[in-house]
Amino acid sequence: MNVTQRRFLNSTSTRTHNVTINKSMLNALNEPDLYRFFCLSLYRNRYYNVRLRIEDIAKITGEKESALKNFNKIMDTVLIRKRYLIPINHPVYEFTMRSLYKIPAIDNEGFITLSHKFTQVNLSVKVKGYYIKLLLIAENGIVPLTPRETASKLGMSKNTVTQYNIELHKAGLLRLSSDKLELTPNELLISNDEAIQKREWYPATKDLLPNITLSFDK
């Protein structure tokens, strides 16, 4: 195997079917970064470690790579990230640094389980992250808050919440009323009883990190 092939295999992961997101993360990340965390978590291996390049993550979220310039710094606030060397084909440098992201364990205080199909929904990264936040605060699919109350709880402007609600309604993910929001994620939200994420992840070692291939199949 040549250096280029090793570089690709060492920096990528395969997609899983769903992701659990702890309710404690509600205020830890803003809307776009929460969706980016969801996308990152989709590519965890069985030890709940993720090895992806920023350019790979941008492809998954559908953004330009420049939009993720602060991604690692932000992710450092919610997960453990370790850096490791991989060989590269370069006339001066033999190695470059890559990141290993360790996805947090399930929180006993509560979590939701979201399908990989959410990546196929035609909405912006911001709106998708907002929808995840609604799912985190919903009670049996209902957010018993007015738009103004929702905006206050999530630290957003009322106008932004109203606009996002309209976009979600058009996408069939939300029913609107004056005093509550009814979420309709259908097959996107999976029963927590079916969640496969373990309550603890394993430390990263060379033996626990097999070479795996990136797949962007929907």
Side-chain angles (χ1 to χ4, degrees):
M1 181 182 295
N2 60 37
V3 171
T4 302
Q5 289 174 318
R6 288 200 303 270
R7 177 186 179 188
F8 180 74
L9 291 174
N10 284 335
S11 64
T12 57
S13 301
T14 52
R15 194 201 65 201
T16 57
H17 294 293
N18 58 61
V19 169
T20 56
I21 301 177
N22 294 328
K23 293 188 176 182
S24 60
M25 293 190 67
L26 176 65
N27 298 315
L29 298 172
N30 64 21
E31 293 74 39
D33 286 324
L34 185 57
Y35 177 68
R36 291 165 185 153
F37 171 81
F38 162 76
C39 290
L40 177 72
S41 299
L42 277 174
Y43 286 81
R44 66 192 185 274
N45 64 19
R46 60 176 176 162
Y47 304 105
Y48 291 82
N49 299 315
V50 180
R51 291 183 295 171
L52 287 179
R53 301 166 297 182
I54 294 296
E55 61 189 270
D56 296 324
I57 300 168
K59 289 177 182 179
I60 300 165
T61 62
E63 301 174 276
K64 293 183 178 179
E65 187 176 344
S66 59
L68 283 79
K69 62 181 179 180
N70 295 319
F71 180 80
N72 283 336
K73 182 178 179 180
I74 293 168
M75 289 300 111
D76 284 344
T77 66
V78 296
L79 51 73
I80 295 174
R81 179 172 65 94
K82 302 205 173 193
R83 305 184 73 196
Y84 62 96
L85 289 168
I86 63 168
I88 57 173
N89 185 14
H90 191 277
V92 177
Y93 303 105
E94 294 183 6
F95 299 92
T96 189
M97 297 299 295
R98 289 286 184 256
S99 290
L100 172 78
Y101 306 90
K102 300 177 70 65
I103 304 303
I106 287 177
D107 192 337
N108 289 319
E109 298 301 316
F111 57 92
I112 61 170
T113 306
L114 198 57
S115 169
H116 70 90
K117 294 179 182 179
F118 191 44
T119 61
Q120 302 173 29
V121 176
N122 188 23
L123 290 169
S124 72
V125 169
K126 291 181 179 180
V127 176
K128 287 183 176 181
Y130 168 68
Y131 195 63
I132 293 175
K133 290 201 171 191
L134 292 182
L135 291 169
L136 290 173
I137 65 174
E139 301 172 6
N140 297 318
I142 301 294
V143 177
L145 302 171
T146 65
R148 185 178 298 279
E149 291 169 338
T150 301
S152 177
K153 185 173 183 64
L154 299 182
M156 302 170 63
S157 72
K158 180 178 178 295
N159 288 341
T160 298
V161 165
T162 299
Q163 180 58 44
Y164 287 0
N165 286 346
I166 292 172
E167 293 184 45
L168 289 169
H169 175 69
K170 290 180 179 178
L173 296 176
L174 188 70
R175 294 194 184 99
L176 298 170
S177 66
S178 59
D179 61 344
K180 65 181 180 181
L181 300 173
E182 182 181 353
L183 309 184
T184 54
N186 299 323
E187 76 277 4
L188 299 180
L189 190 64
I190 299 171
S191 169
N192 283 338
D193 292 337
E194 299 176 35
I196 60 174
Q197 181 167 325
K198 297 178 181 178
R199 291 189 179 275
E200 62 276 332
W201 37 251
Y202 295 90
T205 70
K206 290 183 179 179
D207 292 336
L208 296 182
L209 290 172
N211 286 335
I212 42 185
T213 305
L214 180 66
S215 170
F216 291 111
D217 294 339
K218 297 300 184 184

